[in-house]
Amino acid sequence: DAKTTQPNSMESNEEEPVHLPCNHSTISGTDYIHWYRQLPSQGPEYVIHGLTSNVNNRMASLAIAEDRKSSTLILHRATLRDAAVYYCIRRPSASGGSYIPTFGRGTSLIVHP
Amino acid sequence: DAGVIQSPRHEVTEMGQEVTLRCKPISGHNSLFWYRQTMMRGLELLIYFNNNVPIDDSGMPEDRFSAKMPNASFSTLKIQPSEPRDSAVYFCASSAQQGGELFFGEGSRLTVL
């Protein structure tokens, strides 16, 4: 049970913004939302995480719904190197419960030149 | 820091042989995770340790699989005897705290003939 739901795949054109959705309707108040991506033939790598407020870093932005039941990873200008599988998972706060970090199937992002 | 280090990167063996995969987590991290990835089943958590103690091994497929963490800087995943259906990429990941960012190794690709 991944506890998050994502579309199987999405497509984008290079240089265009990409919005990758994730549903986590059963999230608890102390769970963080983490996003990872897995490039071909590599291990997953951390992208961004957040709790309630929107977050930005050099890789992406994370928009979290006000009710926290969903979030969106935003790649502002997709490049061919962004073609990967993107996963969102729940992670407890450091003082929260210790449940298994479960990865679902993620969203396979295809970027067209 | 060199990141999470896994060995071997590739292993080809024959059915019935013992396989040992190794992982060195990032220094100072106290949580360690073993995942298995296949096309059919995606990324599955096999077992995770916190402070060298196995917390949840419910993902371990069967008794042929065993994992140990004798100290904070080393873990092994052993398959004995191996079977063709064990062919997969095995990832090790570590985190600094239970809810923290996961850092993955590059994986060990196992092929059992």
Side-chain angles (χ1 to χ4, degrees), chain B residues 2-92:
Chain B
V4 175
I5 299 174
Q6 292 187 245
S7 64
R9 292 293 312 280
H10 302 273
E11 173 95 5
V12 180
T13 190
E14 293 187 345
M15 182 173 64
Q17 297 297 307
E18 177 179 294
V19 173
T20 299
L21 307 178
R22 298 171 177 79
C23 175
K24 176 178 167 51
I26 292 174
S27 177
H29 283 192
N30 58 13
S31 293
L32 183 139
F33 308 82
W34 281 102
Y35 286 87
R36 177 174 69 176
Q37 187 171 41
T38 61
M39 289 292 291
M40 290 289 292
R41 302 174 69 89
L43 196 59
E44 307 172 274
L45 181 73
L46 300 177
I47 186 171
Y48 86 93
F49 296 83
N50 197 48
N51 293 321
N52 311 338
V53 176
I55 301 301
D56 192 316
D57 65 354
S58 59
M60 296 286 262
E62 48 197 270
D63 293 345
R64 297 185 297 106
F65 285 69
S66 62
K68 294 182 179 179
M69 191 164 186
N71 56 63
S73 59
F74 185 65
S75 176
T76 59
L77 178 67
K78 186 175 293 187
I79 308 172
Q80 166 63 17
S82 59
E83 297 182 2
R85 59 188 168 132
D86 302 330
S87 298
V89 181
Y90 292 80
F91 288 103
C92 176

Side-chain angles (χ1 to χ4, degrees), chain A residues 69-81:
Chain A
K69 293 184 177 181
S70 65
S71 62
T72 302
L73 180 71
I74 302 167
L75 306 179
H76 294 285
R77 292 179 65 188
T79 70
L80 297 178
R81 289 175 296 178

